[in-house]
Amino acid sequence: MPNISQLFFKSAVIWLLIGIAAGLQMGMSGNHTVIAAHAHINLLGWVTSAIFGGYYALNPAKAAKRLAFVHYAVYMLGLIVMLPSLYFMERGNMQLEPLVGIGSMVTFLGVLIFAVVMFSRESVAVRQARA
């Protein structure tokens, strides 16, 4: 499996653990004010990261490109800024709202980079090797 796939899968599991912890905290306390953060952690952190990992596992030629690692770095940076900021903003720290916005834009940039990777053509040599 390509290294980038492993990075995305390992990161996805970390986000899953964080998402489950947030869900448990809500369930135990009966306070569900962080439901949006919980959903974002699970969907953007766990699910989307795992999907990226799967895509790169199925497309090793694209996984080997430098742009795949740029995608990982930008996307994870966005999540690391956005998700904790959203969690604590929902708990009442409204001063973090600008960080949520910045993290969201960086995450979106990561998704745009993935779109470039996904829609880019493979080289002729790669296509001929598959035939």
Side-chain angles (χ1 to χ4, degrees):
M1 182 180 326
N3 287 337
I4 194 68
S5 293
Q6 291 183 32
L7 280 172
F8 269 115
F9 284 134
K10 288 175 181 177
S11 297
V13 169
I14 291 168
W15 288 116
L16 173 63
L17 292 169
I18 294 168
I20 288 173
L24 286 171
Q25 182 271 327
M26 285 189 304
M28 289 181 189
S29 70
N31 180 349
H32 294 83
T33 58
V34 296
I35 191 78
H38 171 69
H40 280 78
I41 291 166
N42 285 311
L43 291 175
L44 293 176
W46 160 234
V47 176
T48 306
S49 295
I51 290 170
F52 291 154
Y55 177 83
Y56 287 120
L58 293 171
N59 295 279
K62 291 184 179 185
K65 292 184 177 181
R66 185 176 191 277
L67 192 56
F69 287 93
V70 172
H71 167 223
Y72 175 81
V74 170
Y75 188 74
M76 286 301 148
L77 175 64
L79 295 186
I80 289 167
V81 171
M82 178 182 60
L83 297 176
S85 299
L86 178 60
Y87 179 87
F88 289 111
M89 186 184 86
E90 288 187 320
R91 294 195 57 127
N93 192 343
M94 296 309 291
Q95 299 91 320
L96 293 173
E97 190 170 16
L99 280 180
V100 174
I102 291 166
S104 297
M105 295 305 294
V106 174
T107 301
F108 180 64
L109 178 60
V111 174
L112 286 176
I113 294 168
F114 177 68
V116 169
V117 168
M118 194 171 149
F119 287 105
S120 67
R121 293 185 157 271
E122 292 177 352
S123 69
V124 175
V126 171
R127 282 184 292 212
Q128 288 174 346
R130 284 190 179 169

